[in-house]
Coordinates of all heavy atoms in Angstrom, one line a residue:
M293 N 0.8 -1.2 0.0 CA 0.0 0.0 0.0 C 0.9 1.2 0.0 O 0.6 2.2 -0.7 CB -0.9 0.0 1.2 CG -1.8 1.2 1.2 SD -2.9 1.3 2.6 CE -2.2 2.6 3.5
I294 N 1.9 1.3 0.8 CA 2.7 2.4 0.9 C 3.5 2.7 -0.4 O 3.6 3.8 -0.8 CB 3.7 2.3 2.1 CG1 2.9 2.4 3.4 CG2 4.8 3.4 2.1 CD1 3.8 2.1 4.7
H295 N 3.9 1.6 -1.1 CA 4.6 1.8 -2.3 C 3.6 2.4 -3.4 O 4.1 3.3 -4.1 CB 5.0 0.4 -2.9 CG 6.5 0.2 -2.9 ND1 7.4 1.1 -2.3 CD2 7.3 -0.7 -3.5 CE1 8.6 0.7 -2.5 NE2 8.6 -0.4 -3.2
L296 N 2.4 2.0 -3.4 CA 1.5 2.5 -4.4 C 1.2 4.0 -4.1 O 1.2 4.8 -5.0 CB 0.2 1.7 -4.3 CG -1.0 2.2 -5.2 CD1 -0.6 2.0 -6.7 CD2 -2.3 1.5 -4.8
V297 N 0.9 4.3 -2.9 CA 0.6 5.7 -2.5 C 1.8 6.6 -2.7 O 1.7 7.7 -3.2 CB 0.1 5.8 -1.0 CG1 -0.1 7.2 -0.6 CG2 -1.2 5.0 -0.9
R298 N 3.0 6.1 -2.4 CA 4.2 6.8 -2.5 C 4.4 7.2 -4.0 O 4.8 8.3 -4.3 CB 5.4 6.1 -2.0 CG 6.7 6.9 -2.0 CD 7.9 6.1 -1.5 NE 8.9 6.2 -2.4 CZ 9.6 5.2 -3.0 NH1 9.3 4.0 -2.7 NH2 10.5 5.4 -3.9
H299 N 4.2 6.2 -4.9 CA 4.3 6.5 -6.3 C 3.3 7.5 -6.8 O 3.6 8.4 -7.5 CB 4.1 5.2 -7.1 CG 4.2 5.3 -8.6 ND1 5.3 5.7 -9.2 CD2 3.2 5.2 -9.5 CE1 5.1 5.8 -10.5 NE2 3.8 5.5 -10.7
R300 N 2.0 7.4 -6.3 CA 1.0 8.3 -6.7 C 1.3 9.7 -6.2 O 1.1 10.7 -6.9 CB -0.3 7.9 -6.2 CG -1.0 6.8 -7.0 CD -2.4 6.7 -6.6 NE -3.0 5.7 -7.5 CZ -4.3 5.4 -7.4 NH1 -5.0 5.9 -6.4 NH2 -4.8 4.5 -8.2
L301 N 1.8 9.8 -5.0 CA 2.2 11.1 -4.4 C 3.3 11.7 -5.2 O 3.4 12.9 -5.4 CB 2.5 11.0 -2.9 CG 1.3 10.8 -2.0 CD1 1.7 10.6 -0.6 CD2 0.3 12.0 -2.1
S302 N 4.3 10.9 -5.5 CA 5.5 11.4 -6.2 C 5.1 12.0 -7.5 O 5.5 13.1 -7.9 CB 6.5 10.3 -6.3 OG 7.6 10.7 -7.1
T303 N 4.4 11.2 -8.3 CA 4.0 11.7 -9.6 C 3.0 12.9 -9.5 O 3.0 13.8 -10.3 CB 3.3 10.6 -10.5 OG1 2.2 10.0 -9.7 CG2 4.3 9.5 -10.8
G304 N 2.2 12.9 -8.5 CA 1.3 14.0 -8.2 C 2.0 15.3 -7.9 O 1.7 16.3 -8.4
F305 N 3.0 15.2 -7.1 CA 3.8 16.4 -6.7 C 4.6 16.9 -8.0 O 4.7 18.1 -8.1 CB 4.7 16.2 -5.6 CG 4.0 16.1 -4.2 CD1 4.2 15.0 -3.4 CD2 3.2 17.1 -3.8 CE1 3.6 15.0 -2.2 CE2 2.5 17.1 -2.6 CZ 2.7 16.0 -1.8
E306 N 5.0 16.0 -8.8 CA 5.7 16.4 -10.0 C 4.7 17.1 -11.0 O 5.1 18.2 -11.6 CB 6.3 15.2 -10.8 CG 7.5 14.6 -10.1 CD 8.0 13.3 -10.7 OE1 7.4 12.9 -11.8 OE2 8.9 12.7 -10.2
K307 N 3.5 16.6 -11.0 CA 2.5 17.3 -11.8 C 2.1 18.7 -11.3 O 1.9 19.6 -12.0 CB 1.2 16.4 -11.9 CG 0.3 16.8 -13.0 CD -0.8 15.7 -13.2 CE -1.6 16.0 -14.4 NZ -2.6 15.0 -14.7
V308 N 2.0 18.8 -9.9 CA 1.8 20.1 -9.3 C 2.8 21.1 -9.7 O 2.5 22.2 -10.0 CB 1.7 19.9 -7.8 CG1 1.7 21.3 -7.1 CG2 0.4 19.2 -7.4
D309 N 4.1 20.6 -9.7 CA 5.2 21.5 -10.1 C 5.0 22.0 -11.5 O 5.2 23.2 -11.8 CB 6.5 20.8 -9.9 CG 6.9 20.7 -8.5 OD1 6.4 21.4 -7.6 OD2 7.8 19.9 -8.2
R310 N 4.7 21.1 -12.4 CA 4.5 21.5 -13.8 C 3.3 22.4 -14.0 O 3.4 23.4 -14.8 CB 4.3 20.2 -14.7 CG 5.6 19.5 -15.0 CD 5.4 18.3 -15.9 NE 4.9 17.4 -14.9 CZ 4.4 16.2 -15.1 NH1 4.3 15.8 -16.3 NH2 3.9 15.4 -14.2
V311 N 2.2 22.2 -13.3 CA 1.1 23.0 -13.5 C 1.4 24.4 -12.9 O 1.0 25.4 -13.5 CB -0.2 22.4 -12.8 CG1 -1.3 23.3 -12.7 CG2 -0.6 21.1 -13.5
W312 N 2.1 24.5 -11.8 CA 2.4 25.8 -11.2 C 3.3 26.5 -12.2 O 3.2 27.7 -12.3 CB 3.1 25.6 -9.9 CG 3.4 26.9 -9.3 CD1 4.6 27.5 -9.1 CD2 2.5 27.9 -8.8 NE1 4.5 28.7 -8.5 CE2 3.2 29.0 -8.3 CE3 1.1 27.9 -8.7 CZ2 2.6 30.1 -7.8 CZ3 0.5 29.1 -8.2 CH2 1.2 30.1 -7.7
S313 N 4.2 25.8 -12.9 CA 5.0 26.4 -13.9 C 4.2 27.0 -15.0 O 4.5 28.1 -15.5 CB 6.0 25.3 -14.4 OG 6.6 25.8 -15.6
Q314 N 3.1 26.3 -15.4 CA 2.2 26.9 -16.4 C 1.6 28.2 -16.0 O 1.5 29.2 -16.7 CB 1.2 25.9 -16.8 CG 1.7 24.7 -17.5 CD 0.6 23.6 -17.7 OE1 -0.5 23.7 -17.2 NE2 0.9 22.6 -18.5
V315 N 1.2 28.2 -14.7 CA 0.6 29.5 -14.2 C 1.6 30.6 -14.2 O 1.3 31.7 -14.6 CB 0.0 29.2 -12.8 CG1 -0.4 30.6 -12.1 CG2 -1.1 28.3 -12.8
S316 N 2.8 30.3 -13.8 CA 3.9 31.3 -13.8 C 4.2 31.7 -15.2 O 4.5 32.9 -15.4 CB 5.1 30.7 -13.1 OG 4.9 30.4 -11.8
N317 N 4.2 30.8 -16.2 CA 4.5 31.2 -17.5 C 3.4 32.2 -18.1 O 3.8 33.1 -18.8 CB 4.5 29.9 -18.4 CG 5.8 29.2 -18.2 OD1 6.8 29.7 -17.7 ND2 5.8 27.9 -18.6
V318 N 2.2 32.0 -17.7 CA 1.1 32.9 -18.2 C 1.4 34.3 -17.6 O 1.3 35.3 -18.4 CB -0.3 32.4 -17.7 CG1 -1.3 33.5 -17.9 CG2 -0.7 31.1 -18.5
L319 N 1.8 34.3 -16.4 CA 2.1 35.6 -15.8 C 3.4 36.2 -16.4 O 3.4 37.4 -16.6 CB 2.2 35.5 -14.3 CG 0.9 35.2 -13.5 CD1 1.2 35.0 -12.0 CD2 0.0 36.4 -13.7
A320 N 4.4 35.4 -16.6 CA 5.6 35.9 -17.2 C 5.4 36.4 -18.6 O 6.1 37.3 -19.0 CB 6.6 34.8 -17.1
D321 N 4.5 35.8 -19.3 CA 4.2 36.3 -20.7 C 3.4 37.6 -20.6 O 3.6 38.5 -21.5 CB 3.3 35.3 -21.4 CG 4.1 34.0 -21.8 OD1 5.4 34.1 -21.7 OD2 3.5 33.0 -22.2
T322 N 2.5 37.8 -19.7 CA 1.6 38.9 -19.6 C 2.2 40.1 -19.0 O 2.1 41.2 -19.5 CB 0.3 38.5 -18.9 OG1 -0.2 37.3 -19.5 CG2 -0.7 39.6 -18.9
I323 N 2.8 40.0 -17.9 CA 3.3 41.2 -17.1 C 4.3 42.0 -17.9 O 4.1 43.3 -17.9 CB 3.8 40.7 -15.7 CG1 2.7 40.2 -14.9 CG2 4.5 41.9 -15.0 CD1 3.1 39.6 -13.6
P324 N 5.3 41.5 -18.5 CA 6.2 42.4 -19.2 C 5.6 43.0 -20.4 O 6.0 44.1 -20.8 CB 7.4 41.4 -19.7 CG 7.3 40.3 -18.8 CD 5.9 40.1 -18.4
G325 N 4.6 42.4 -21.0 CA 4.0 42.9 -22.2 C 2.6 43.5 -21.9 O 1.7 43.6 -22.8
I326 N 2.4 44.1 -20.7 CA 1.1 44.6 -20.3 C 0.7 45.8 -21.2 O -0.5 45.9 -21.5 CB 1.1 45.0 -18.8 CG1 -0.4 45.2 -18.4 CG2 1.9 46.2 -18.6 CD1 -1.2 43.9 -18.3
R327 N 1.6 46.6 -21.7 CA 1.3 47.7 -22.6 C 0.8 47.2 -23.9 O -0.2 47.8 -24.4 CB 2.5 48.6 -22.8 CG 2.9 49.4 -21.6 CD 4.0 50.3 -21.8 NE 4.4 51.0 -20.6 CZ 5.5 51.5 -20.4 NH1 6.5 51.4 -21.2 NH2 5.8 52.1 -19.2
V328 N 1.4 46.1 -24.4 CA 0.9 45.5 -25.7 C -0.5 44.9 -25.5 O -1.4 45.1 -26.3 CB 1.9 44.5 -26.2 CG1 1.4 43.8 -27.4 CG2 3.3 45.1 -26.4
V329 N -0.7 44.3 -24.4 CA -2.0 43.6 -24.1 C -3.1 44.7 -24.0 O -4.1 44.6 -24.6 CB -1.9 42.8 -22.8 CG1 -3.3 42.4 -22.3 CG2 -1.0 41.6 -22.9
K330 N -2.8 45.8 -23.4 CA -3.7 46.9 -23.3 C -3.9 47.6 -24.6 O -5.0 48.0 -24.9 CB -3.3 47.9 -22.2 CG -3.5 47.4 -20.8 CD -3.2 48.5 -19.8 CE -3.6 48.0 -18.4 NZ -3.5 49.1 -17.4
A331 N -2.8 47.8 -25.3 CA -2.9 48.5 -26.6 C -3.8 47.7 -27.6 O -4.6 48.4 -28.4 CB -1.5 48.7 -27.2
F332 N -3.8 46.4 -27.6 CA -4.6 45.6 -28.5 C -5.9 45.1 -27.8 O -6.6 44.2 -28.3 CB -3.8 44.5 -29.1 CG -2.8 44.9 -30.0 CD1 -1.4 45.0 -29.6 CD2 -3.1 45.3 -31.3 CE1 -0.5 45.5 -30.5 CE2 -2.1 45.7 -32.2 CZ -0.8 45.8 -31.8
A333 N -6.2 45.7 -26.7 CA -7.5 45.3 -25.9 C -7.6 43.8 -25.7 O -8.6 43.2 -26.0 CB -8.7 45.9 -26.6
Q334 N -6.5 43.2 -25.2 CA -6.5 41.7 -25.0 C -6.6 41.4 -23.5 O -6.3 40.2 -23.1 CB -5.2 41.1 -25.5 CG -5.1 41.3 -27.0 CD -6.1 40.5 -27.8 OE1 -6.4 39.3 -27.5 NE2 -6.7 41.1 -28.8
E335 N -7.1 42.3 -22.7 CA -7.2 42.0 -21.2 C -8.1 40.8 -20.9 O -7.7 40.0 -20.1 CB -7.7 43.2 -20.5 CG -6.8 44.4 -20.5 CD -7.2 45.4 -21.5 OE1 -7.9 45.1 -22.5 OE2 -6.7 46.6 -21.4
K336 N -9.2 40.7 -21.6 CA -10.2 39.6 -21.3 C -9.5 38.3 -21.7 O -9.7 37.3 -21.0 CB -11.5 39.8 -22.1 CG -12.3 40.9 -21.5 CD -13.7 41.0 -22.2 CE -14.5 42.1 -21.5 NZ -15.8 42.3 -22.2
R337 N -8.9 38.3 -22.9 CA -8.2 37.0 -23.3 C -7.1 36.6 -22.3 O -7.1 35.4 -22.0 CB -7.6 37.2 -24.7 CG -7.0 35.9 -25.3 CD -6.5 36.1 -26.7 NE -5.3 36.9 -26.7 CZ -4.0 36.3 -26.6 NH1 -3.9 35.0 -26.5 NH2 -3.0 37.0 -26.6
E338 N -6.3 37.5 -21.9 CA -5.2 37.2 -21.0 C -5.8 36.8 -19.6 O -5.3 35.9 -18.9 CB -4.2 38.4 -20.8 CG -3.4 38.6 -22.1 CD -2.6 37.4 -22.5 OE1 -2.0 36.7 -21.6 OE2 -2.5 37.1 -23.7
S339 N -6.9 37.5 -19.2 CA -7.5 37.1 -17.9 C -8.1 35.7 -18.0 O -8.0 34.9 -17.1 CB -8.6 38.1 -17.6 OG -9.3 37.8 -16.4
A340 N -8.7 35.4 -19.1 CA -9.2 34.0 -19.3 C -8.1 33.0 -19.3 O -8.3 31.9 -18.8 CB -10.0 33.9 -20.6
R341 N -7.0 33.3 -20.0 CA -5.8 32.4 -20.0 C -5.4 32.1 -18.5 O -5.1 30.9 -18.2 CB -4.7 33.0 -20.8 CG -4.5 32.4 -22.1 CD -3.3 33.0 -22.8 NE -2.0 32.5 -22.3 CZ -0.9 33.2 -22.3 NH1 -0.8 34.4 -22.8 NH2 0.2 32.6 -21.8
F342 N -5.3 33.2 -17.8 CA -4.8 33.0 -16.4 C -5.8 32.2 -15.6 O -5.5 31.3 -14.8 CB -4.6 34.4 -15.7 CG -4.1 34.3 -14.3 CD1 -2.9 33.8 -14.0 CD2 -5.0 34.6 -13.3 CE1 -2.5 33.7 -12.6 CE2 -4.6 34.5 -12.0 CZ -3.4 34.0 -11.6
H343 N -7.1 32.5 -15.8 CA -8.2 31.8 -15.0 C -8.1 30.3 -15.4 O -8.3 29.5 -14.5 CB -9.5 32.4 -15.4 CG -10.7 31.8 -14.6 ND1 -10.8 32.0 -13.3 CD2 -11.7 31.0 -15.0 CE1 -11.9 31.3 -12.9 NE2 -12.4 30.7 -13.9
Q344 N -8.0 30.0 -16.6 CA -7.9 28.6 -17.1 C -6.7 27.9 -16.4 O -6.9 26.7 -15.9 CB -7.9 28.5 -18.6 CG -7.8 27.1 -19.1 CD -7.7 27.1 -20.6 OE1 -7.4 28.1 -21.2 NE2 -7.8 25.9 -21.2
A345 N -5.6 28.5 -16.5 CA -4.4 27.9 -15.9 C -4.5 27.7 -14.4 O -4.1 26.7 -13.8 CB -3.1 28.7 -16.2
N346 N -5.2 28.7 -13.7 CA -5.4 28.6 -12.3 C -6.4 27.5 -11.9 O -6.2 26.9 -10.9 CB -5.8 30.0 -11.8 CG -5.3 30.3 -10.4 OD1 -4.4 29.7 -9.9 ND2 -5.8 31.4 -9.8
E347 N -7.4 27.4 -12.7 CA -8.4 26.3 -12.5 C -7.8 24.9 -12.6 O -8.0 24.0 -11.8 CB -9.6 26.4 -13.4 CG -10.5 27.6 -13.1 CD -11.3 27.4 -11.8 OE1 -11.7 26.2 -11.5 OE2 -11.4 28.4 -11.1
H348 N -6.9 24.8 -13.6 CA -6.2 23.5 -13.8 C -5.3 23.2 -12.6 O -5.2 22.1 -12.0 CB -5.4 23.5 -15.1 CG -4.7 22.2 -15.4 ND1 -5.4 21.1 -15.5 CD2 -3.4 21.9 -15.6 CE1 -4.6 20.1 -15.8 NE2 -3.3 20.6 -15.8
N349 N -4.6 24.3 -12.1 CA -3.8 24.2 -10.9 C -4.6 23.7 -9.7 O -4.2 22.9 -8.9 CB -3.1 25.5 -10.6 CG -2.2 25.5 -9.4 OD1 -1.6 24.5 -9.1 ND2 -2.1 26.6 -8.7
L350 N -5.7 24.3 -9.5 CA -6.6 24.0 -8.4 C -7.1 22.5 -8.5 O -7.0 21.8 -7.5 CB -7.8 24.9 -8.4 CG -8.8 24.6 -7.2 CD1 -8.2 25.0 -5.9 CD2 -10.1 25.5 -7.5
A351 N -7.4 22.0 -9.7 CA -7.9 20.6 -9.8 C -6.8 19.7 -9.5 O -7.0 18.7 -8.8 CB -8.4 20.4 -11.2
V352 N -5.6 19.9 -10.0 CA -4.4 19.0 -9.7 C -4.1 19.0 -8.2 O -3.8 18.0 -7.6 CB -3.2 19.4 -10.6 CG1 -2.0 18.7 -10.2 CG2 -3.5 19.2 -12.0
N353 N -4.1 20.2 -7.6 CA -3.8 20.3 -6.2 C -4.9 19.6 -5.3 O -4.6 18.9 -4.3 CB -3.7 21.7 -5.7 CG -2.3 22.2 -5.9 OD1 -1.3 21.7 -5.3 ND2 -2.1 23.2 -6.8
D354 N -6.1 19.7 -5.7 CA -7.2 19.0 -5.0 C -7.0 17.5 -5.1 O -7.2 16.8 -4.1 CB -8.6 19.4 -5.6 CG -9.1 20.7 -5.1 OD1 -8.5 21.2 -4.1 OD2 -10.1 21.2 -5.6
R355 N -6.6 17.0 -6.2 CA -6.4 15.5 -6.4 C -5.3 15.0 -5.5 O -5.5 14.0 -4.8 CB -6.1 15.2 -7.9 CG -6.2 13.8 -8.2 CD -6.1 13.5 -9.7 NE -6.8 14.4 -10.5 CZ -6.3 15.1 -11.5 NH1 -5.0 15.0 -11.8 NH2 -7.0 15.9 -12.3
I356 N -4.2 15.7 -5.5 CA -3.1 15.3 -4.6 C -3.4 15.4 -3.1 O -3.0 14.6 -2.3 CB -1.8 16.0 -5.0 CG1 -0.5 15.3 -4.4 CG2 -1.8 17.4 -4.5 CD1 -0.2 14.1 -5.1
N357 N -4.2 16.4 -2.8 CA -4.6 16.6 -1.4 C -5.5 15.5 -0.9 O -5.5 15.1 0.2 CB -5.2 18.0 -1.2 CG -4.1 19.1 -1.1 OD1 -3.0 18.9 -0.8 ND2 -4.5 20.3 -1.5
K358 N -6.4 15.0 -1.8 CA -7.3 13.9 -1.4 C -6.5 12.7 -1.1 O -6.7 12.0 -0.2 CB -8.3 13.7 -2.5 CG -9.4 14.7 -2.6 CD -10.3 14.4 -3.8 CE -11.3 15.6 -3.9 NZ -12.2 15.4 -5.1
I359 N -5.5 12.4 -2.0 CA -4.7 11.2 -1.8 C -3.9 11.4 -0.5 O -3.8 10.4 0.4 CB -3.7 11.0 -2.9 CG1 -4.4 10.7 -4.2 CG2 -2.7 9.9 -2.6 CD1 -3.6 10.7 -5.5
W360 N -3.3 12.5 -0.2 CA -2.5 12.7 1.0 C -3.4 12.7 2.2 O -3.0 12.1 3.3 CB -1.9 14.1 0.9 CG -1.0 14.4 2.0 CD1 -1.2 15.3 3.1 CD2 0.3 13.8 2.3 NE1 -0.1 15.3 3.9 CE2 0.8 14.4 3.5 CE3 1.1 12.9 1.6 CZ2 2.0 14.0 4.0 CZ3 2.3 12.5 2.2 CH2 2.8 13.1 3.4
S361 N -4.6 13.2 2.2 CA -5.5 13.2 3.4 C -6.0 11.8 3.7 O -6.3 11.5 4.8 CB -6.7 14.1 3.2 OG -7.5 13.7 2.1
L362 N -6.1 10.9 2.7 CA -6.5 9.5 3.0 C -5.3 8.7 3.5 O -5.5 7.7 4.2 CB -7.1 8.9 1.8 CG -8.5 9.4 1.4 CD1 -8.9 8.8 0.1 CD2 -9.5 9.2 2.5
F363 N -4.1 9.0 3.0 CA -2.9 8.2 3.3 C -2.5 8.2 4.8 O -2.3 7.2 5.4 CB -1.7 8.7 2.5 CG -0.4 8.0 2.8 CD1 -0.3 6.7 2.5 CD2 0.6 8.7 3.3 CE1 0.9 6.0 2.7 CE2 1.8 8.0 3.6 CZ 2.0 6.7 3.3
S364 N -2.5 9.4 5.4 CA -2.1 9.5 6.8 C -3.0 8.8 7.8 O -2.5 8.0 8.6 CB -2.0 11.0 7.2 OG -1.5 11.1 8.5
P365 N -4.3 8.9 7.7 CA -5.1 8.2 8.6 C -5.1 6.6 8.4 O -5.2 5.9 9.3 CB -6.5 8.7 8.3 CG -6.4 10.0 7.7 CD -5.1 9.9 7.0
S366 N -4.9 6.3 7.1 CA -4.8 4.8 6.8 C -3.5 4.2 7.5 O -3.6 3.1 8.0 CB -4.7 4.6 5.3 OG -5.9 5.1 4.7
V367 N -2.4 4.9 7.4 CA -1.2 4.4 8.0 C -1.4 4.3 9.5 O -1.0 3.4 10.1 CB 0.0 5.3 7.6 CG1 1.2 4.9 8.4 CG2 0.3 5.1 6.1
T368 N -2.0 5.4 10.1 CA -2.2 5.4 11.5 C -3.1 4.2 11.9 O -2.8 3.5 12.9 CB -2.8 6.7 12.0 OG1 -2.0 7.8 11.6 CG2 -3.1 6.7 13.5
L369 N -4.2 4.0 11.2 CA -5.1 2.9 11.5 C -4.4 1.5 11.4 O -4.5 0.7 12.3 CB -6.3 2.9 10.5 CG -7.3 1.7 10.7 CD1 -8.0 1.9 12.0 CD2 -8.2 1.7 9.5
L370 N -3.6 1.3 10.4 CA -2.9 0.0 10.3 C -1.8 -0.1 11.4 O -1.6 -1.2 11.9 CB -2.2 -0.1 8.9 CG -3.2 -0.2 7.7 CD1 -2.4 -0.1 6.4 CD2 -3.9 -1.5 7.8
T371 N -1.2 0.9 11.7 CA -0.2 0.9 12.8 C -0.9 0.5 14.2 O -0.4 -0.4 14.9 CB 0.5 2.2 13.0 OG1 1.2 2.5 11.8 CG2 1.5 2.2 14.1
E372 N -2.0 1.1 14.4 CA -2.7 0.9 15.7 C -3.3 -0.6 15.7 O -3.2 -1.3 16.7 CB -3.9 1.8 15.9 CG -3.5 3.3 16.1 CD -2.7 3.4 17.4 OE1 -3.0 2.7 18.4 OE2 -1.7 4.2 17.4
F373 N -3.7 -1.1 14.5 CA -4.2 -2.4 14.4 C -3.0 -3.4 14.7 O -3.2 -4.4 15.4 CB -4.8 -2.7 13.0 CG -5.3 -4.1 12.9 CD1 -6.5 -4.5 13.5 CD2 -4.7 -5.0 12.1 CE1 -7.0 -5.7 13.4 CE2 -5.2 -6.3 11.9 CZ -6.3 -6.7 12.6
G374 N -1.9 -3.1 14.1 CA -0.7 -4.0 14.4 C -0.3 -4.0 15.8 O 0.0 -5.0 16.4
L375 N -0.4 -2.8 16.5 CA -0.1 -2.8 17.9 C -1.1 -3.6 18.7 O -0.7 -4.2 19.7 CB 0.0 -1.3 18.4 CG 1.2 -0.5 17.9 CD1 1.0 1.0 18.3 CD2 2.5 -1.1 18.6
L376 N -2.3 -3.5 18.3 CA -3.4 -4.3 19.0 C -3.1 -5.8 18.9 O -3.2 -6.5 19.9 CB -4.7 -3.9 18.4 CG -5.9 -4.7 19.0 CD1 -6.1 -4.2 20.5 CD2 -7.2 -4.4 18.2
V377 N -2.8 -6.2 17.7 CA -2.5 -7.6 17.5 C -1.3 -8.1 18.3 O -1.3 -9.1 18.9 CB -2.3 -7.9 16.0 CG1 -1.8 -9.3 15.7 CG2 -3.7 -7.7 15.2
C378 N -0.2 -7.3 18.2 CA 1.0 -7.6 19.0 C 0.7 -7.7 20.5 O 1.2 -8.5 21.2 CB 2.1 -6.7 18.7 SG 2.7 -6.8 17.0
G379 N 0.0 -6.7 20.9 CA -0.4 -6.6 22.4 C -1.2 -7.8 22.8 O -0.9 -8.3 23.9
R380 N -2.2 -8.2 22.0 CA -3.0 -9.3 22.4 C -2.2 -10.6 22.4 O -2.4 -11.4 23.3 CB -4.2 -9.4 21.4 CG -5.2 -8.3 21.5 CD -5.9 -8.2 22.8 NE -6.8 -9.3 22.8 CZ -7.5 -9.6 23.9 NH1 -7.4 -8.9 25.0 NH2 -8.3 -10.6 23.9
S381 N -1.3 -10.8 21.4 CA -0.6 -12.0 21.4 C 0.5 -12.0 22.5 O 0.7 -13.1 23.1 CB 0.1 -12.2 20.0 OG 1.0 -11.2 19.8
A382 N 1.0 -10.9 22.9 CA 2.0 -10.9 24.0 C 1.3 -11.1 25.3 O 1.8 -11.8 26.2 CB 2.7 -9.5 24.0
S383 N 0.1 -10.6 25.4 CA -0.7 -10.8 26.6 C -1.1 -12.3 26.8 O -1.0 -12.8 27.9 CB -2.0 -10.0 26.6 OG -2.9 -10.3 27.6
G384 N -1.5 -12.9 25.7 CA -1.8 -14.4 25.8 C -0.6 -15.2 26.1 O -0.6 -16.1 26.9
W385 N 0.6 -14.8 25.6 CA 1.8 -15.6 25.9 C 2.2 -15.4 27.3 O 2.6 -16.3 28.0 CB 3.0 -15.0 25.0 CG 4.3 -15.6 25.3 CD1 4.8 -16.8 24.9 CD2 5.3 -15.0 26.2 NE1 6.0 -17.0 25.5 CE2 6.4 -15.9 26.3 CE3 5.4 -13.8 26.9 CZ2 7.5 -15.7 27.0 CZ3 6.5 -13.6 27.7 CH2 7.6 -14.5 27.7
W386 N 2.0 -14.2 27.9 CA 2.4 -13.9 29.3 C 1.5 -14.7 30.2 O 1.9 -15.3 31.2 CB 2.3 -12.4 29.5 CG 2.7 -12.0 30.9 CD1 3.9 -11.9 31.4 CD2 1.8 -11.8 32.0 NE1 3.9 -11.6 32.7 CE2 2.6 -11.5 33.1 CE3 0.4 -11.7 32.2 CZ2 2.1 -11.1 34.4 CZ3 -0.1 -11.4 33.4 CH2 0.8 -11.1 34.5
R387 N 0.2 -14.8 29.9 CA -0.7 -15.5 30.7 C -0.4 -17.0 30.7 O -0.5 -17.7 31.7 CB -2.2 -15.3 30.2 CG -2.8 -14.0 30.6 CD -4.2 -14.0 30.3 NE -4.6 -12.6 30.1 CZ -5.4 -12.2 29.2 NH1 -6.0 -13.1 28.4 NH2 -5.7 -10.9 29.0
T388 N 0.0 -17.5 29.5 CA 0.3 -19.0 29.4 C 1.5 -19.3 30.2 O 1.5 -20.3 30.9 CB 0.5 -19.3 27.9 OG1 -0.6 -18.9 27.2 CG2 0.8 -20.8 27.7
T389 N 2.6 -18.5 30.1 CA 3.8 -18.8 30.8 C 3.6 -18.6 32.3 O 4.2 -19.3 33.1 CB 5.0 -18.0 30.3 OG1 4.6 -16.6 30.4 CG2 5.3 -18.3 28.8
R390 N 2.8 -17.6 32.7 CA 2.6 -17.4 34.1 C 1.8 -18.5 34.7 O 2.2 -18.9 35.8 CB 1.8 -16.1 34.3 CG 1.8 -15.6 35.7 CD 1.1 -14.3 35.8 NE 0.2 -14.4 36.9 CZ -1.0 -13.9 37.0 NH1 -1.5 -13.2 36.0 NH2 -1.7 -14.0 38.0
S391 N 0.9 -19.1 34.1 CA 0.1 -20.2 34.6 C 1.0 -21.4 34.7 O 0.8 -22.2 35.6 CB -1.2 -20.5 33.8 OG -0.8 -20.9 32.5
A392 N 1.9 -21.6 33.8 CA 2.8 -22.7 33.9 C 3.7 -22.6 35.1 O 4.1 -23.6 35.7 CB 3.7 -22.8 32.6
W393 N 4.2 -21.4 35.5 CA 5.0 -21.2 36.6 C 4.3 -21.4 37.9 O 4.8 -21.9 38.9 CB 5.6 -19.8 36.6 CG 6.6 -19.6 35.5 CD1 7.3 -20.6 34.8 CD2 7.0 -18.4 35.0 NE1 8.1 -20.0 33.9 CE2 8.0 -18.6 34.0 CE3 6.7 -17.0 35.2 CZ2 8.6 -17.6 33.2 CZ3 7.3 -16.0 34.5 CH2 8.3 -16.3 33.5
V394 N 3.0 -21.0 38.0 CA 2.2 -21.1 39.2 C 2.0 -22.5 39.6 O 2.0 -22.9 40.8 CB 0.9 -20.3 39.1 CG1 0.0 -20.5 40.3 CG2 1.2 -18.8 38.9
C395 N 1.7 -23.4 38.7 CA 1.3 -24.8 39.0 C 2.5 -25.4 39.5 O 2.9 -26.0 40.3 CB 0.9 -25.5 37.7 SG -0.6 -24.9 37.0

């Protein structure tokens, strides 16, 4: 399970980096050429480009956050279950050996 989630998180974080790069590229294209954008009345087009890149960024981040938010509780649950099983088996072993000593 950890291998699968680790792989998904790794590829997810790489995708987040690429998507953030796209958002930065939109801004890097627009900000230096703001006079040209205004001169040709392209504000709405550039605003739509930024909005589209930002929506894609939000969708990718939401996907990776869902995976991450399920991973941590799952690992905690499995750890606690393992401790419960180990504790119960150790308790049974202790009772068995103690009764053998008492007789």
